[in-house]
Amino acid sequence: MKNLERRRSIRKYSDRPVSNELLSELIALAERTQTMGNLQLYSVIVTRDEEMKRRLAPAHFNQPMVTGAPVVLTVCADFRRTSLWAENRHAQPGYDNFLSFINAATDALLFTQTFCCLAEEEGLGYCWLGTTVYQPESIIDTLKLPELVFPVATLTLGWPDEMPPLSDRLPVESVIHNETYHDYTPELIDKYYEAKENLPENQEFVRINNKETLAQIFTDIRYTKKDNEAMSETLLKALRRQGFLD
């Protein structure tokens, strides 16, 4: 069985420390991932201090693994280092724009995923926090991020102290489109989502929330239109503050 077939989010960690040597080794290996123009448009903020983790926690809705993990990694899209390099070498950078943010964010996310795979090979556990872009200004303030640096991913990291069940995935044929995109018919939606909708835990979510379908759990409770629009405005504001938008 390949490592990814056993991949699970770990939210509880043992007291065993994650050494600086191991962490640096994994980050160095992850640097070998793909990168635009070989510029490595990312930086990693390593948080070990308990007070700093407490200060970061509200930006992640105070999820307990933020303060419970030995290490918190905030991976940032970073065009500042490249821009300063250019300015110090008599070149004129032009990276204060949205395309540059997308390129740097892509670099940062590729690096993050590579790091995750390497960490898992070592037996470490991690949880990817999707909350990083929900309240970015709080993270920017806490970590003192300058212009052209923007948080895009957060990992809590440590040695696992739990073995949760594997989460479900859609069948592979639901994500493959040969040659061109083939839109989903109602029949295909039924086919691809049948197993997910019939999981006992998902049926229980529907029941206890007094909903008709599992989809309503996502649209009405977890990721609502109102919240998405509000956090989109927050994200755009932070991108302007950090110099990626006019």
Side-chain angles (χ1 to χ4, degrees):
M1 179 179 285
K2 297 179 175 62
N3 280 340
L4 277 175
E5 292 180 289
R6 299 189 294 268
R7 200 218 69 79
R8 44 178 52 84
S9 293
I10 300 297
R11 296 174 174 84
K12 295 180 181 178
Y13 306 94
S14 74
D15 294 333
R16 179 183 171 188
V18 179
S19 71
N20 285 325
E21 292 76 15
L22 176 58
L23 184 57
S24 295
E25 178 186 344
L26 293 175
I27 290 174
L29 285 169
E31 284 190 283
R32 299 306 306 168
T33 199
Q34 306 94 317
T35 171
M36 193 193 83
N38 200 28
L39 290 173
Q40 295 181 246
L41 303 170
Y42 51 81
S43 286
V44 186
I45 313 298
V46 179
T47 303
R48 293 180 180 272
D49 181 76
E50 298 300 325
E51 175 59 26
M52 286 295 291
K53 285 187 280 189
R54 283 193 289 271
R55 290 173 59 189
L56 278 173
H60 299 291
F61 300 98
N62 291 307
Q63 296 177 86
M65 57 273 197
V66 178
T67 53
V71 182
V72 177
L73 303 178
T74 306
V75 185
C76 301
D78 186 345
F79 242 121
R80 183 175 184 82
R81 182 177 60 247
T82 301
S83 296
L84 291 175
W85 172 59
E87 290 171 357
N88 281 273
R89 297 296 183 270
H90 311 293
Q92 295 297 318
Y95 308 122
D96 54 346
N97 46 66
F98 187 61
L99 177 62
S100 296
F101 168 71
I102 292 295
N103 287 332
T106 300
D107 258 26
L109 294 173
L110 285 168
F111 167 87
T112 305
Q113 184 57 55
T114 300
F115 177 89
C116 287
C117 293
L118 293 168
E120 222 156 25
E121 287 179 8
E122 287 292 327
L124 286 161
Y126 64 87
C127 186
W128 181 302
L129 304 185
T131 47
T132 306
V133 295
Y134 290 177
Q135 300 182 72
E137 287 195 287
S138 176
I139 299 172
I140 290 166
D141 289 338
T142 299
L143 300 180
K144 300 181 179 179
L145 304 182
E147 283 195 352
L148 299 184
V149 181
F150 201 94
V152 294
T154 301
L155 300 174
T156 58
L157 182 72
W159 301 102
D161 194 31
E162 65 170 348
M163 188 59 68
L166 293 173
S167 54
D168 66 285
R169 291 293 185 266
L170 293 172
V172 67
E173 60 267 28
S174 71
V175 302
I176 295 175
H177 300 257
N178 290 312
E179 311 303 340
T180 61
Y181 191 100
H182 298 279
D183 209 357
Y184 300 94
T185 63
E187 292 76 19
L188 285 175
I189 293 294
D190 289 344
K191 175 183 177 182
Y192 295 151
Y193 284 87
E194 180 180 13
K196 179 185 287 288
E197 291 174 333
N198 286 327
L199 286 173
E201 58 267 33
N202 286 339
Q203 292 182 336
E204 180 65 5
F205 285 149
V206 173
R207 186 191 68 80
I208 64 177
N209 285 286
N210 296 313
K211 294 297 178 181
E212 180 184 355
T213 68
L214 180 63
Q216 291 173 352
I217 298 295
F218 290 86
T219 60
D220 299 355
I221 298 174
R222 294 192 64 183
Y223 307 109
T224 69
K225 176 180 174 64
K226 178 182 177 181
D227 288 344
N228 288 337
E229 289 177 346
M231 287 186 286
S232 292
E233 287 300 316
T234 299
L235 178 60
L236 290 171
K237 179 184 175 186
L239 284 169
R240 292 187 188 96
R241 168 181 166 177
Q242 295 306 99
F244 284 111
L245 290 178
D246 292 331

